Amino acid sequence: MTYKAGGPLPEIVKAPVTKVQFVMYAGASGDFNPIHTDDEAARERGLSGVIAHGMLSMAFLGQLAESAFEAGSVRKLEVNFRGMISPGDVITLRGHVAEILDVDGRPLARCEIEAVNGKGDVVTKGTVEAWMG
Amino acid sequence: MPLDPAVLEREFPEFEFIPERGKIREFALALGLEDPVHFDVEAARAAGFDDLLAPPTFTRQFWHENEENDPMVHLGYDPKRRLHGEQEFEYHKPLVAGMALRGRNVIASTREKEGRRGGKMTFVVIETRFTDENGELVQVARRTLIETAAPPKEAEKE
């Protein structure tokens, strides 16, 4: 796929995240930290209830990268974790092309990307680099 | 607690990582993915992959395998003050079901920083390199773990 520097990536609005999804992700990823699956354990840590795994939000940004470009064309994905996701949150994945680099004649798009919750807070932010051809 | 210096000297042995079709489908399903390259072998092959393509953050799945091998558990961090601050993946070759990968963990860097509310924050970057049967690099993962100066709850009371 071809983009111009400054242009947006097609936005993805995820279905509201659920506690069941956190359990599925715990099993799929192997991260059984109970703050993601057990409300009582989450409250003991000072949270109001379970929160999503940070890596789930990164995986969502991986989906943004794979749908904006072709599956398998991502060269690099990096994020930092800033906020928490709670059950019921609707996560929007968005980004734009920061620049297009020429790597040995091959166009590589470097994009700024973020996952935003329903309140408009950026929960996870980073960059993706993907081959455009 | 400061970082246990012994962990910096420690060698973490190479380990096996074999992405399975069922595990790739399970991972893709948990994320709500729909692209058939993660579910349907024929579709993956039609798209030019040898088998089901693992989603970009799939190798996170190995962290829980073989815990002795995970530098994270040997850092001496207080779990209540441990944060996963940043994560990075670098892709060199498509990671598909059935590959026989070898992984190796190293502590790539450490640094300390003064916390905003006083006390030291410790940053550790764990790097994992995955190579295929031919010894070629497939993927590099970098995980930045932070031990904050105080547990978040206490920090908020200050």
Side-chain angles (χ1 to χ4, degrees):
Chain A
M1 288 189 221
T2 305
Y3 294 95
K4 287 193 174 120
L9 303 179
E11 195 173 279
I12 294 176
V13 180
K14 295 292 289 178
V17 296
T18 64
K19 289 184 185 180
V20 171
Q21 186 171 27
F22 300 170
V23 171
M24 289 168 74
Y25 184 76
S29 69
D31 183 346
F32 292 103
N33 183 336
I35 65 166
H36 306 303
T37 50
D38 179 343
D39 279 320
E40 205 174 313
R43 282 193 286 266
E44 278 169 22
R45 292 289 187 88
L47 300 164
S48 57
V50 294
I51 56 166
H53 302 74
M55 286 300 290
L56 178 63
S57 66
M58 183 179 197
F60 287 168
L61 287 171
Q63 178 187 359
L64 176 71
E66 285 204 316
S67 71
F69 299 91
E70 276 172 41
S73 66
V74 179
R75 185 175 87 156
K76 193 172 181 178
L77 182 64
E78 59 182 327
V79 304
N80 58 69
F81 301 103
R82 301 178 166 216
M84 295 182 282
I85 297 176
S86 300
D89 277 352
V90 174
I91 305 301
T92 299
L93 309 166
R94 63 190 186 197
H96 68 273
V97 179
E99 58 180 332
I100 293 166
L101 306 163
D102 182 310
V103 181
D104 302 327
R106 213 177 156 195
L108 181 80
R110 194 180 65 78
C111 312
E112 315 266 352
I113 52 172
E114 56 190 17
V116 183
N117 69 14
K119 285 179 274 182
D121 304 324
V122 174
V123 289
T124 304
K125 188 178 176 66
T127 60
V128 61
E129 291 176 7
W131 299 109
M132 288 199 298
Chain B
M1 193 167 84
L3 189 67
D4 177 1
V7 76
L8 302 177
E9 307 299 319
R10 192 177 171 124
E11 285 262 337
F12 295 92
E14 206 177 62
F15 59 92
E16 175 187 84
F17 183 69
I18 299 182
E20 294 157 5
R21 283 180 185 168
K23 202 68 201 177
I24 289 175
R25 290 192 186 104
E26 181 191 355
F27 196 88
L29 194 65
L31 308 183
L33 301 184
E34 286 168 4
D35 191 334
V37 297
H38 304 305
F39 297 98
D40 176 348
V41 179
E42 290 311 311
R45 290 194 175 134
F49 302 105
D50 291 338
D51 209 305
L52 294 187
L53 180 68
T57 64
F58 180 78
T59 57
R60 187 266 168 263
Q61 191 239 318
F62 87 89
W63 293 350
H64 77 289
E65 291 186 348
N66 198 358
E67 282 220 328
E68 270 305 291
N69 211 338
D70 186 348
M72 182 176 86
V73 300
H74 302 289
L75 294 178
Y77 272 12
D78 172 0
K80 288 198 167 69
R81 291 188 284 145
R82 190 177 69 209
L83 293 177
H84 184 192
E86 293 170 32
Q87 180 66 37
E88 176 181 322
F89 294 96
E90 215 178 80
Y91 306 97
H92 295 267
K93 273 181 154 185
L95 199 161
V96 300
M99 286 174 113
L101 300 176
R102 308 292 297 175
R104 187 184 277 278
N105 290 314
V106 294
I107 295 179
S109 66
T110 66
R111 68 190 164 93
E112 284 189 339
K113 196 175 124 181
E114 209 59 39
R116 266 180 296 177
R117 295 183 177 90
K120 281 218 164 32
M121 295 170 75
T122 310
F123 293 72
V124 173
V125 179
I126 298 172
E127 183 178 280
T128 312
R129 298 172 76 82
F130 293 94
T131 49
D132 66 11
E133 297 90 327
N134 303 319
E136 288 176 21
L137 192 59
V138 175
Q139 194 177 113
V140 183
R142 294 184 191 91
R143 186 170 19 147
T144 303
L145 298 171
I146 305 170
E147 189 183 54
T148 58
K153 244 171 99 180
E154 289 175 33
E156 277 160 22
K157 281 187 220 152
E158 283 174 17

